[in-house]
Amino acid sequence: RTRNVGYLEDVFVRSPYKKLGLGEKLVREFIKMSKAKGVQKLSLGTRAENKAAIALYKKLGFSIIGYNFGKSLKPWKELIFS
């Protein structure tokens, strides 16, 4: 059983700063800091329609392991990666 698990909830990059690699730098820093703290397993999530985040997480070696569904004013589906 893995005890040290890290979860990245949200990463946001404002529109004027997109496509500059900032999201990737933030996620890579999260991975680096997590490893330094002894985290053994990382998970993260993004909305199913967020194509850029999905591509980034796959590029960094994460795979989809599940889904969360939310209900608010607009129902949503979140992909869970590990």
Side-chain angles (χ1 to χ4, degrees):
R1 181 175 171 192
T2 303
R3 293 177 187 248
N4 295 327
V5 178
Y7 185 78
L8 182 61
E9 182 72 30
D10 292 307
V11 174
F12 295 100
V13 177
R14 290 180 175 251
S15 294
Y17 305 102
K18 290 186 178 187
K19 308 246 188 237
L20 299 175
L22 297 175
E24 182 173 347
K25 287 180 183 179
L26 288 169
V27 176
R28 285 188 184 278
E29 187 62 24
F30 167 73
I31 294 167
K32 180 179 159 186
M33 290 172 58
S34 297
K35 286 181 180 179
K37 292 192 175 285
V39 173
Q40 298 169 352
K41 182 177 179 181
L42 294 174
S43 294
L44 37 86
T46 190
R47 298 250 175 141
E49 67 270 11
N50 190 339
K51 306 288 187 221
I54 293 167
L56 172 60
Y57 299 158
K58 286 182 176 180
K59 174 183 174 182
L60 295 175
F62 290 91
S63 299
I64 298 170
I65 61 165
Y67 303 92
N68 282 335
F69 295 92
K71 292 182 180 178
S72 58
L73 296 176
K74 181 180 176 188
W76 50 271
K77 177 180 176 183
E78 177 185 47
L79 303 178
I80 306 299
F81 289 78
S82 186

